[in-house]
């Protein structure tokens, strides 16, 4: 029997808005200050994972004491928060408003599930809070992506079983979490990097909604 997709779960950073670039710039400053090699390739591993885990990845074998570790986390966040001051509704990525409207027209329910502890503020600055039935951020669960916990909580709060939910993600950690949650997944970005997703598009604006839905419901 064909499944009916009813729950739509969006990652925030890098899917609805380009804040992933601000995370990159903030980590780049930290890496420069610590004289640790860092580039966009390494940055791919930081996408979708918690701030704490990002710092662990960045530091590699280096093991600073906990007060320096905490200070670095706070410093990165203050750099990041400087960048996000410039967010306005115009910072939504192309296609974001359109897909949210298409989902509403079909009667679908919509969630944001982001690991970022700055989700609330970013959503408010984008002016899109009212478009979501559920908003989950980095405070909502203990185990973050690639663990499935946050997506499963979103499915519960939307009252839609995991098999009828689809996740939109730009990170491989997020695609893995969607798979582990038993959900459909749509990668947003390069198909090379996100090849385990059910479908991949180079941006929300590349999605033709009804055709995507037809494909998803045939899986
Ligand atoms: C995710 C980003 O959405 O949020 C990660 O993809 C980031 O790169 C994570 O580390 C945590 O964000 P924050 O705002 O809590 O530092
Ligand atoms: Mg992301």
């Amino acid at each position: 029997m064909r499944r009916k997709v009813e729950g739509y779960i969006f990652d925030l950073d890098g899917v609805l808005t380009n804040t992933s670039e601000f995370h990159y710039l903030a980590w780049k400053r930290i890496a420069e200050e610590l004289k640790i090699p860092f580039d966009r390739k390494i940055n791919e591993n930081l996408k979708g994972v918690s701030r704490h885990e990002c710092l662990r990845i960045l530091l590699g074998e280096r093991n600073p004491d906990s007060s320096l570790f905490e200070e670095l986390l706070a410093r990165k966040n203050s750099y990041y928060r400087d960048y996000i001051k410039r967010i306005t509704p115009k910072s939504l990525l192309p296609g974001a408003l359109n897909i949210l409207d298409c989902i509403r027209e079909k009667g679908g329910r919509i969630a944001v599930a982001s690991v970022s502890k700055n989700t609330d503020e970013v959503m408010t600055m984008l002016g899109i809070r009212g478009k979501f039935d559920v908003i989950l951020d980095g405070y909502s669960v203990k185990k973050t992506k690639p663990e499935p916990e946050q997506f499963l909580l979103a499915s519960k709060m939307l009252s839609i079983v995991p098999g009828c939910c689809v996740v939109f993600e730009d990170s491989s950690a997020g695609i893995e979490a969607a798979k582990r949650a038993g959900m459909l997944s749509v990668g947003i970005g390069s198909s090379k990097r996100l090849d385990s997703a059910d479908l991949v598009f180079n941006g929300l604006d590349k999605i033709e909604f009804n055709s995507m839905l037809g494909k998803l419901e045939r899986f």
Side-chain angles (χ1 to χ4, degrees):
M1 209 178 70
R2 243 169 109 132
R3 75 171 99 205
K4 187 155 169 28
V5 176
E6 293 174 309
Y8 297 79
I9 303 174
F10 288 83
D11 174 45
L12 174 64
D13 298 325
V15 172
L16 294 172
T17 184
N18 198 13
T19 33
S20 43
E21 185 63 15
F22 298 151
H23 283 295
Y24 164 72
L25 293 171
W27 283 123
K28 188 163 167 279
R29 278 176 76 178
I30 295 285
E32 278 164 10
E33 286 162 8
L34 297 176
K35 303 197 173 18
I36 293 178
F38 186 66
D39 56 22
R40 285 189 183 271
K41 196 160 168 236
I42 300 173
N43 184 59
E44 286 304 321
N45 304 324
L46 308 189
K47 287 189 179 170
V49 299
S50 69
R51 194 183 313 160
H52 194 276
E53 189 54 26
C54 286
L55 183 56
R56 286 234 155 284
I57 295 171
L58 191 80
L59 292 173
E61 302 290 289
R62 301 165 192 84
N63 210 354
D65 62 41
S66 64
S67 65
L68 177 56
F69 194 91
E70 290 303 319
E71 193 274 312
L72 289 169
L73 289 177
R75 206 193 303 170
K76 185 271 171 175
N77 197 43
S78 83
Y79 294 160
Y80 179 69
R81 290 180 64 83
D82 262 351
Y83 289 119
I84 62 173
K85 279 185 195 148
R86 61 186 81 162
I87 292 178
T88 71
K90 288 197 179 131
S91 314
L92 275 169
L93 283 169
L97 284 181
N98 182 53
I99 192 167
L100 296 175
D101 289 345
C102 291
I103 296 168
R104 283 288 176 226
E105 261 173 44
K106 286 263 177 227
R109 290 174 56 76
I110 318 178
V112 150
S114 167
V115 168
S116 173
K117 292 183 170 165
N118 293 293
T119 296
D120 233 47
E121 189 154 351
V122 172
M123 295 283 289
T124 302
M125 292 168 90
L126 290 170
I128 52 168
R129 294 187 61 93
K131 294 193 174 283
F132 292 81
D133 300 296
V134 169
I135 297 176
L136 296 177
D137 64 12
Y139 295 103
S140 62
V141 284
K142 281 214 180 80
K143 293 188 190 161
T144 51
K145 303 167 191 177
E147 298 285 338
E149 206 174 319
Q150 195 181 43
F151 290 149
L152 291 172
L153 179 61
S155 126
K156 199 168 155 194
M157 291 178 72
L158 290 171
S159 305
I160 296 168
V161 293
C164 294
C165 290
V166 57
V167 168
F168 296 82
E169 260 291 349
D170 70 319
S171 71
S172 22
I175 298 292
E176 187 183 331
K179 298 222 156 257
R180 286 165 69 180
M183 297 178 177
L184 293 161
S185 56
V186 174
I188 302 297
S190 120
S191 50
K192 243 196 250 155
R193 206 167 41 77
L194 301 169
D195 61 348
S196 57
D198 293 315
L199 297 175
V200 183
F201 298 91
N202 215 354
L204 293 175
D205 58 334
K206 302 293 182 303
I207 295 176
E208 205 285 295
F209 187 72
N210 287 322
S211 134
M212 175 194 71
L213 199 55
K215 285 183 190 152
L216 289 174
E217 292 188 339
R218 257 178 251 119
F219 279 116

